Structures are given as structure tokens and as C-alpha cells.
Amino acid sequence: MKKLLSFAIGILLLCGALFGCNKLLNPKANDGGNKTLTIYNWGDYIDPQLITKFEHETGYHVDYETFDSNEAMLTKIRQGGTHYDIAVPSEYTIQRMKKEHLLEPIDHRKLPNLKYIDPQFLNLSFDRHNRYSIPYFWGTLGIVYNDQKVSRKDVLHWRQLWSPKLKNNIMMIDSARDAMAVALITQHHSVNTTNAKELREAADKLDQLTPNIKAVIADEMKMYMEQNEAAVGITYSGEASEMIDANSHLHYIVPSEGSNIWFDNMVIPKTAKNKKAAYAFLNFMLDPKNAAQNAEYIGYATPNKAAKKYLPKSVTSNQAFYPPKQTMKHLQVYHDLPLKDIGTYNDLFLEFKMFKK
């Protein structure tokens, strides 16, 4: 019995020694892996130098994964088995994630840099009191045009896109909500309507645009517009910013009668494994200098009021990307619609694309 006891103690001592060695050889195992921050973001949607800076300042290692649509991101998080500490959904997707209890409430006391956000971007309808989300970037849907092919006065308003002058010269973003929004706004309807008659009228209006549509595409639009392949593109402000940087003949307009204004926000999913690192990252990105550096790299508008003083005046005074109040009051935010209505939007958009063929 004594021998058996000595043998058992020996085994325990050996296990302890091996565990100690493992801790020395594998620092992550030492703290349960909590030195890693996992971010799930849109592709090319952060200055890589900021990730390096964050790692250097905090000692955290960043794992960075990307998605190409809100729906893809939502599906992956909804399926479970993920461990993202930070995700960056758009406003209507945040509404959906809240309904499905996929988000962790945010403790504002841990975010002293939240004070730098412009109040006009806080407490918005999709997340009152910012209980679950922190502003990251915002932007608009608008018209980018090539001054070698069309004059500014001919594309100031959505309704002008139906002009025969633009036959086979418009590139449309491949998005049901955005395409339908153009037709709905032209007909003075809400971009969130679920009224069957209004949606049918908008779809018919959109079908009438098909002679002017050169292509319905996504990311490729940047390349084609930069290469002067079309007179007009219907796209997002940040995409337009990149096009304009590459081709001085391109310009961006937000029609004064209205458009979509969107907000991308940082959230902490319920499945996050390292909330301490998540708060460190949120606070880091809210720092005005970091927010300005990111905005300059990405080309989208920052909601960080204090960051704007670090950006070139030519950027912050550009009304195409920071619209005046008169235009802002006509901009509409997409709401999270019931699935059957989302299906209707998708069906009508598909009809438009088939009509084009």
C-alpha cells in the first residue's frame, strides 16, 4: 500500500512537472489564450499599421478574419462555434443580431474615448443608447460620374439617371436594397417600405432603367470606373473615394433629394472569448489619432469628431463625403425588415437583373 501511495505521488509530481514545462514553452497556455484578440471585419477595412500598433501597445496578438457581406457574417456567428471578440456589422444587421440575442451589452464605463464620437452618431434608432454597438465608419449611397463622359448638372438627381443620354453607361451596385432605394426615392417613397404597391411601382421604375445599365456588379466597379469604362456608377462613398484617388476625372454626388446613409459599428458577439482585449481594442480605435489614421487609409467618413482635426481640410470640407445638414436630413437609414419583405426586395431585384438580360 505504501509502495502504491509512493507510486501515485510520483505520477502526480511528474504531471505537475510536465504541466510546468508546458506553461514555460507555451505562454498562451499560461493564461488560457487570453492574449489573442480575434476580429471579424469587412475586407480591407482597417489600416494594417493600426493592428501592428495595437499589438505593440497592448501585447495582444490579433487574429483578423474578413467577410464580404452582412449576411455572410451573420450566418457564421449565428451558426455558433465562432469566437470572434469584435465584429463590424451595419446598422440593420445590428438590429437583427439584437433580436437574436447574439450581442454582448457594452459597458461604456470601460470606454473613456467614447466621448470623442460626434453626438449625432450616437443613440441612433438601430441601437438606442449604443447599448450594443460603437460607431466605426459611416457613409452614403450616391452617384460617381466621369466628367469626360457626362457633365455634373446631368447627374445631380436620381431621376436624371433615366435620361437617354446615359444609355448603356451606368454601373449599378449589386445590391437589392440599394437598387430598390434608388427607385423608391425617385418616387418619393421610404427606402424601408413594405407596401406592396410601392414596391411594385419601384420595381417597374427600375426595369425602365435597364437600357442605361451597362453592368450590375460589386467590387469590380472600382476597376471599371477607374478605367473610364462607364459615365456613371451607383455606389458607396468610400468606394467612390478610392475611385477618385485613382482617376481625377471621377467625382461623387449625394443627390440632395435623399439617399441611404449607413453606419458600420463595432460590436462584441456573445461568443467572444476575450472581452478584456475587445474593450482595449474599442478604446484604441476610438482614440482620435487612430481614428483619423484609419479614416485616411480607408477613405470613409469618421464619426469621431475629435479625429477630424487630424484629417486634411480638403477631406473634411468635401461635402460629397461629409454632406451638409440640408442633405443629411433627407438621408434614410435601412431598417431590418421581416424576412418575407427582404425576400420581396430580393425577388424584385432579381427580376430587374433578368429584365436586363
Side-chain angles (χ1 to χ4, degrees):
M1 186 65 180
K2 204 169 185 178
K3 284 184 179 178
L4 184 59
L5 184 59
S6 297
F7 178 74
I9 290 172
I11 291 295
L12 288 172
L13 288 172
L14 179 60
C15 289
L18 288 173
F19 179 67
C21 287
N22 184 51
K23 289 174 76 175
L24 288 172
L25 293 172
N26 185 2
K28 286 184 179 178
N30 193 34
D31 55 17
N34 67 357
K35 295 304 290 181
T36 296
L37 172 72
T38 306
I39 300 174
Y40 199 28
N41 198 358
W42 299 83
D44 197 22
Y45 208 32
I46 191 171
D47 182 346
Q49 292 186 10
L50 284 171
I51 292 179
T52 303
K53 183 180 177 182
F54 174 76
E55 290 179 324
H56 179 73
E57 287 187 1
T58 65
Y60 289 115
H61 167 71
V62 173
D63 277 346
Y64 193 82
E65 295 185 30
T66 63
F67 54 83
D68 57 12
S69 71
N70 278 294
E71 290 69 27
M73 181 276 301
L74 177 59
T75 298
K76 195 164 183 182
I77 290 183
R78 185 187 280 150
Q79 287 173 343
T82 60
H83 54 277
Y84 303 117
D85 301 304
I86 295 282
V88 189
S90 303
E91 70 293 314
Y92 67 93
T93 306
I94 291 172
Q95 286 182 303
R96 173 63 57 180
M97 296 177 85
K98 283 165 53 182
K99 287 177 187 172
E100 299 184 17
H101 306 289
L102 296 173
L103 300 179
E104 186 75 17
I106 290 180
D107 185 349
H108 291 189
R109 294 170 300 180
K110 297 179 180 178
L111 298 175
N113 287 342
L114 185 59
K115 65 186 176 188
Y116 295 121
I117 295 293
D118 189 327
Q120 70 172 314
F121 298 110
L122 295 172
N123 194 31
L124 298 179
S125 59
F126 59 89
D127 185 22
R128 288 298 179 196
H129 307 293
N130 292 89
R131 191 172 178 211
Y132 296 96
S133 65
I134 299 299
Y136 185 63
F137 280 120
W138 66 278
T140 55
L141 177 72
I143 298 170
V144 62
Y145 72 95
N146 187 317
D147 64 18
Q148 292 181 307
K149 295 176 179 289
V150 64
S151 67
R152 177 182 175 85
K153 66 180 177 58
D154 289 328
V155 289
L156 287 172
H157 304 287
W158 292 118
R159 65 176 182 276
Q160 293 173 293
L161 299 182
W162 276 258
S163 167
K165 292 179 183 176
L166 292 174
K167 185 175 182 180
N168 199 34
N169 238 327
I170 295 176
M171 295 209 175
M172 169 76 81
I173 193 73
D174 190 2
S175 159
R177 290 297 295 268
D178 294 325
M180 289 293 288
V182 171
L184 287 166
I185 293 169
T186 302
Q187 296 177 307
H188 310 291
H189 298 316
S190 165
V191 298
N192 296 302
T193 186
T194 56
N195 180 295
K197 181 172 179 290
E198 292 177 356
L199 287 171
R200 183 65 261 168
E201 289 173 352
D204 291 342
K205 184 71 176 177
L206 206 54
D207 290 346
Q208 294 167 19
L209 187 63
T210 54
N212 290 0
I213 298 295
K214 188 179 183 74
V216 179
I217 52 178
D219 292 341
E220 303 91 337
M221 189 191 299
K222 277 189 285 194
M223 178 185 69
Y224 289 126
M225 291 302 297
E226 289 168 9
Q227 295 177 353
N228 304 312
E229 292 288 335
V232 167
I234 299 171
T235 189
Y236 312 118
S237 51
E239 301 293 296
S241 175
E242 288 188 46
M243 297 176 197
I244 292 168
D245 284 345
N247 185 336
S248 62
H249 289 291
L250 299 178
H251 311 273
Y252 182 70
I253 290 173
V254 182
S256 57
E257 64 270 26
S259 186
N260 163 243
I261 181 171
W262 54 260
F263 305 92
D264 286 340
N265 300 260
M266 296 177 284
V267 300
I268 302 176
K270 279 271 188 187
T271 50
K273 298 294 185 187
N274 196 344
K275 292 173 189 172
K276 184 178 179 182
Y279 277 104
F281 183 78
L282 291 175
N283 218 37
F284 175 85
M285 294 306 297
L286 288 169
D287 176 88
K289 287 185 178 177
N290 293 336
Q293 180 179 333
N294 207 28
E296 195 156 14
Y297 177 84
I298 300 298
Y300 280 104
T302 177
N304 192 313
K305 192 173 184 178
K308 292 172 75 173
K309 68 180 179 184
Y310 298 108
L311 291 169
K313 186 73 175 175
S314 58
V315 172
T316 55
S317 64
N318 189 333
Q319 295 191 348
F321 300 100
Y322 291 90
K325 288 183 180 178
Q326 184 63 24
T327 299
M328 288 285 282
K329 71 181 183 182
H330 294 299
L331 301 179
Q332 302 180 55
V333 179
Y334 292 145
H335 297 167
D336 178 39
L337 301 177
L339 290 177
K340 69 178 182 59
D341 295 310
I342 292 174
T344 301
Y345 273 79
N346 290 337
D347 290 345
L348 293 173
F349 182 55
L350 181 61
E351 173 189 300
F352 159 70
K353 291 199 286 187
M354 294 177 67
F355 196 85
K356 165 65 182 168
K357 293 175 182 175

